[in-house]
């Protein structure tokens, strides 16, 4: 078989990386000193595809070869695919080449497992080291950690990269055993825990001395596949809450299960992949990270799955109608955040604006409140905007009338966007 050119390898490896959605960058800020590139605050991914994937990182695999055979993975050992591997200098050369052509702002480097986890990690570390030390590349770098790798290698990688991520993929232990039997939960959690410890420890040490090198300053992230192993939303949301709370996780990404292999262990996907469910999980995740909701407020054993037709904040409000209406001139910030139609920015604006005098209902839209939702849940100067206060069933019917169209199914694409029927920012973040 003829030797592949670098461009041909790139095509194969970029295609193999497209199912990994955990590539959004955020939170890394580092000025360029004597190299090239800057890692900007709030991340370098300012462009998003319509299906919510970022496009300004070079997103590739080091190799699509893998010694493992995860049922859901396009790169698994048993698939009859052409396998290629980049050398660390080739990864560095490609990244610098794209950066100089202004096509990318950073690198997202994932990989299959070649030979052993440690060997693969050595290659990732060398590629990252070459970029940082030889090419003086100061741009954003996000690298995958290989489950089961030596924790000292994990530490070396975290000293070079802005963000590291270890994909958990399957939310339950049973799911992992069934679909990815070569990987153990412990092999995934141990590096996550070590990364979490080093992030916290390094932040503390750098408060004392800035000479201590940073460790994964943009934090760690992970990805969960949604709908591959029969897990409930309660299991997913509880797991995510634990990852945020205990392992210093910056982001959990949710990826609707897309069948790419024929395998009797996998569920049949009738119609489109569970993209609406993925979107609802992003919304629940957003509520936990920014709105002060606990996982148990959103789901429980009696109600283990999110309502696909209604966003989880509206669902919570309908179950707690005794807490409404909220008077916008008196409610504290945390209470305002729980009102459907009021987001972080509009809650902040309300708190600021009411210092200058009592707000009226007419003021609320100017402050960013979405009145078509909030009208049923707020009063201003004691006045209620809705013509009547319906019961939960009536209110639900009214809110459903306002629900935007379902997102259309789009294959994740590195370079192309497609139209989706939902707000793009909301699609990827779940912001409500
Ligand atoms: S270890 Fe990763 S690359 Fe290898 S088969 Fe599993 S999911 Fe795919």
């Amino acid at each position: 078989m003829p030797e592949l050119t670098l461009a041909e390898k790139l095509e194969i490896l970029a295609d193999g990386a497209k199912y990994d959605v955990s590539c959004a960058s955020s939170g890394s800020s580092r000025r360029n000193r004597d190299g090239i590139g800057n890692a900007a605050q709030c991340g370098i991914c300012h462009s998003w595809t319509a299906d919510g994937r970022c496009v300004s990182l070079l997103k590739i695999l080091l190799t699509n070869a893998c010694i493992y055979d995860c049922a859901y993975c396009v790169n698994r050992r048993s698939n009859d695919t052409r396998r290629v591997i980049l050398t660390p200098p080739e990864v560095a050369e490609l990244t610098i080449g794209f950066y100089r052509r202004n096509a990318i702002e950073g690198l997202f480097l994932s990989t299959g497992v070649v030979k052993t986890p440690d060997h693969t990690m050595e290659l990732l570390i060398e590629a990252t080291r070459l970029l940082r030390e030889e090419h003086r590349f100061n741009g954003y770098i996000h690298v995958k950690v290989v489950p089961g790798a030596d924790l000292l290698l994990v530490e070396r990688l975290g000293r070079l990269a802005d963000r590291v991520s270890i994909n958990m993929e399957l939310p339950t232990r049973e799911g992992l055993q069934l679909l990815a039997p070569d990987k153990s939960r412990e092999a995934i959690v141990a590096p996550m825990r070590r990364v979490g410890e080093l992030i916290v420890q390094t932040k503390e040490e750098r408060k004392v001395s800035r000479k201590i090198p940073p460790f994964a300053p943009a934090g760690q992230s992970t990805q969960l596949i949604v709908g591959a192993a029969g897990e409930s939303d309660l299991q997913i949301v509880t797991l995510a809450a634990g990852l945020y709370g205990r392992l210093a996780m910056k982001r959990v990404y949710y990826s609707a299960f897309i069948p790419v292999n024929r395998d009797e262990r996998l569920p049949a996907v009738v119609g489109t992949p569970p993209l609406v469910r993925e979107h609802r999980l992003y919304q629940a995740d957003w509520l936990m990270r920014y709105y002060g909701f606990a996982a148990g407020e959103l789901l429980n054993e009696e109600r283990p799955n999110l309502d696909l037709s209604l966003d989880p904040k509206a669902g919570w409000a309908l179950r707690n109608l005794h807490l409404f209406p909220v008077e916008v001139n008196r409610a504290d910030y945390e209470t305002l955040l729980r009102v459907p139609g009021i987001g972080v920015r509009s809650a902040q604006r309300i708190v600021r604006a009411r210092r200058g005098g009592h707000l009226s209902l007419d003021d609320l839209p100017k402050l960013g409140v979405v009145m078509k939702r909030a009208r049923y849940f707020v009063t201003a100067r004691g006045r209620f905007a809705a013509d009547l206060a319906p019961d939960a069933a009536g209110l639900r019917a009214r809110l459903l009338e306002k629900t935007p169209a379902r997102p259309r199914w789009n294959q994740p694409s590195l370079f192309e966007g497609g139209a989706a029927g939902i707000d793009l920012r909301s699609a990827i973040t779940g912001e409500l």
Side-chain angles (χ1 to χ4, degrees), residues 19-23 68 70-73 108 110-111 142-148 164-194 220-229 231 234-249 251-255 285:
Y19 295 99
D20 196 322
V21 298
S22 58
C23 64
Y68 296 154
C70 304
Y72 48 83
C73 178
F108 172 73
S110 186
T111 187
H142 174 172
V143 191
K144 286 278 152 192
V145 167
V146 181
V164 294
S165 54
I166 304 120
N167 278 358
M168 189 160 252
E169 309 283 23
L170 296 160
T172 63
R173 201 176 283 272
E174 302 72 47
L176 195 65
Q177 266 167 10
L178 178 69
L179 300 181
D182 301 314
K183 296 194 276 193
S184 72
R185 183 87 158 197
E186 288 65 36
I188 296 169
V189 172
M192 272 183 181
R193 187 175 294 120
R194 184 65 185 140
Q220 66 167 326
S221 59
T222 191
Q223 169 179 288
L224 296 174
I225 300 174
V226 176
E231 70 292 321
L234 174 63
Q235 287 172 306
I236 295 175
V237 167
T238 306
L239 173 64
L243 293 173
Y244 287 128
R246 290 197 293 277
L247 297 183
M249 191 64 63
R251 280 299 305 271
V252 177
Y253 291 89
Y254 306 93
S255 179
D285 186 278

Side-chain angles (χ1 to χ4, degrees), residues 41-227:
Q41 187 79 43
C42 302
I44 57 162
C45 296
H46 302 302
S47 306
W48 304 90
T49 64
D51 59 359
R53 275 70 175 174
C54 57
V55 292
S56 58
L57 300 179
L58 174 61
K59 180 179 176 182
I60 49 168
L61 298 175
L62 176 84
T63 176
N64 66 344
C66 193
I67 58 172
Y68 296 154
D69 205 40
C70 304
Y72 48 83
C73 178
V74 71
N75 301 313
R76 67 179 179 172
R77 182 182 65 221
S78 57
N79 279 2
D80 185 15
T81 318
R82 179 147 199 192
R83 308 291 175 167
V84 292
I85 183 165
L86 293 171
T87 62
E90 284 175 327
V91 172
E93 185 189 318
L94 274 169
T95 308
I96 293 300
F98 273 93
Y99 189 86
R100 286 196 197 281
R101 290 197 297 278
N102 218 15
I104 55 147
E105 297 167 89
L107 171 69
F108 172 73
L109 183 60
S110 186
T111 187
V113 185
V114 54
K115 290 188 185 169
T116 65
D118 284 356
H119 176 72
T120 314
M121 280 289 282
E122 298 272 12
L123 295 175
L124 293 172
I125 291 168
E126 179 59 7
T128 315
R129 188 197 68 76
L130 283 173
L131 276 166
R132 290 289 193 233
E133 296 178 5
E134 306 290 326
H135 293 277
R136 315 294 296 161
F137 181 71
N138 203 43
Y140 183 87
I141 301 180
H142 174 172
V143 191
K144 286 278 152 192
V145 167
V146 181
D150 190 299
L151 297 183
L152 286 173
L153 295 174
V154 175
E155 179 167 357
R156 274 176 54 200
L157 187 61
R159 297 280 174 210
L160 294 163
D162 289 278
R163 172 172 286 188
V164 294
S165 54
I166 304 120
N167 278 358
M168 189 160 252
E169 309 283 23
L170 296 160
T172 63
R173 201 176 283 272
E174 302 72 47
L176 195 65
Q177 266 167 10
L178 178 69
L179 300 181
D182 301 314
K183 296 194 276 193
S184 72
R185 183 87 158 197
E186 288 65 36
I188 296 169
V189 172
M192 272 183 181
R193 187 175 294 120
R194 184 65 185 140
V195 168
E197 287 165 1
L198 285 167
I199 287 172
V200 173
Q201 180 187 319
T202 306
K203 270 189 189 151
E204 288 304 311
E205 288 172 352
R206 281 173 60 80
K207 284 182 192 163
V208 180
S209 168
R210 300 300 285 178
K211 288 188 183 150
I212 306 280
F215 181 88
Q220 66 167 326
S221 59
T222 191
Q223 169 179 288
L224 296 174
I225 300 174
V226 176

Side-chain angles (χ1 to χ4, degrees), residues 19 21 50-53 224-227 233 254-259 269-283 306-309 405-413 418-422 426-428 430:
Y19 295 99
V21 298
D51 59 359
R53 275 70 175 174
L224 296 174
I225 300 174
V226 176
D233 291 342
Y254 306 93
S255 179
F257 169 61
I258 299 168
V269 174
V270 182
T272 62
L275 285 183
V276 178
R277 185 178 174 201
E278 175 193 288
H279 181 58
R280 294 292 178 226
L281 284 165
Y282 271 117
Q283 291 179 318
L306 294 165
D307 186 336
L308 293 185
S309 44
R406 288 182 166 204
R408 287 216 310 264
W409 152 237
N410 281 309
Q411 179 82 3
S413 162
I422 49 176
S426 172
I428 185 64

